[in-house]
Amino acid sequence: MKRKRIRLGVLVLTTALAVNLGVVADASTATPFGTSRWRQPSVTYVINGSSYDRYIYNVAIRAWNATGTFRFVPGSNSHHQLNLTASDATTGPYHLLAGITYTSGPRNGYYTQAKVLLLAKNMTDYHYSTSNEIHVAEHELGHAMGLQHSTARNSVMLANNRYNGISGSDSYAVWRRYRTPVGRHS
Ligand SMILES: [Zn+2]
């Protein structure tokens, strides 16, 4: 199992200031991807959580599906590849995390299963808005497709992202990830 995290804290505020001061994002910075992916640019999912958690995930899923680069397809409890969940845990491995994605496999370079956890109580304690939480969900779904952290200020894959939606570079990275053989990264 590999873990990708969004840390809460001071760096988040740095990002917010950069945005508020109108610093121009470096749009030429490509969003990186790792060596593994799903076999197809498509995955079946289930959402386990409150109606609010479901809302957050559904908005994030619609945003990624709208890019046309990947399809999140509803599955069933007995048949799915991706499990989307939430937890009120705040301690141990979840200390200062907003979200975390676990991927299983890879088998021959392909993911076999994945799980996303939104740390709901942490985000509430850090005054994340609904919009912030949606962007965390979009970020974790990015990991679940194979994306890695970007240094571009406008990327949803910024390590501490809570303000950015999906950029053109982010969706292009997904498009490239699924046209690049496993074992190779960007
Ligand atoms: Zn991350």
Side-chain angles (χ1 to χ4, degrees):
M1 299 286 251
K2 286 183 181 171
R3 305 198 304 185
K4 308 281 187 177
R5 309 160 164 215
I6 297 184
R7 289 198 178 276
L8 299 159
V10 173
L11 283 173
V12 167
L13 296 174
T14 307
T15 305
L17 286 171
V19 171
N20 289 341
L21 290 170
V23 174
V24 177
D26 182 4
S28 67
T29 303
T31 303
F33 56 81
T35 56
S36 296
R37 62 169 169 86
W38 300 95
R39 200 168 280 277
Q40 305 292 333
S42 173
V43 72
T44 54
Y45 69 89
V46 289
I47 305 174
N48 288 299
S50 66
S51 58
Y52 181 73
D53 300 329
R54 304 179 70 81
Y55 170 77
I56 297 292
Y57 276 122
N58 279 321
V59 175
I61 283 169
R62 275 200 298 274
W64 273 117
N65 282 351
T67 70
T69 58
F70 193 94
R71 291 298 296 177
F72 290 94
V73 179
S76 66
N77 281 329
S78 59
H79 191 81
H80 62 272
Q81 296 160 290
L82 176 62
N83 187 9
L84 305 173
T85 66
S87 170
D88 285 335
T90 59
T91 58
Y94 307 127
H95 183 57
L96 296 183
L97 293 185
I100 186 164
T101 297
Y102 301 90
T103 54
S104 294
R107 185 183 299 150
N108 301 322
Y110 297 108
Y111 297 137
T112 52
Q113 289 215 308
K115 177 181 178 176
V116 176
L117 203 55
L118 294 179
L119 282 310
K121 185 165 190 316
N122 275 346
M123 289 195 282
T124 301
D125 291 349
Y126 277 77
H127 308 293
Y128 274 46
S129 68
T130 299
S131 168
N132 294 163
E133 296 197 26
I134 289 166
H135 295 326
V136 170
E138 290 167 347
H139 175 107
E140 297 304 333
L141 292 177
H143 283 313
M145 291 182 286
L147 299 187
Q148 298 188 326
H149 286 157
S150 173
T151 56
R153 288 196 181 90
N154 67 334
S155 174
V156 79
M157 297 312 295
L158 199 64
N160 299 287
N161 181 50
R162 68 193 265 189
Y163 299 107
N164 298 334
I166 300 161
S167 73
S169 294
D170 297 330
S171 53
Y172 180 61
V174 174
W175 188 88
R176 283 192 59 220
R177 169 61 285 182
Y178 285 84
R179 281 157 185 76
T180 303
V182 294
R184 287 171 53 190
H185 58 80
S186 61

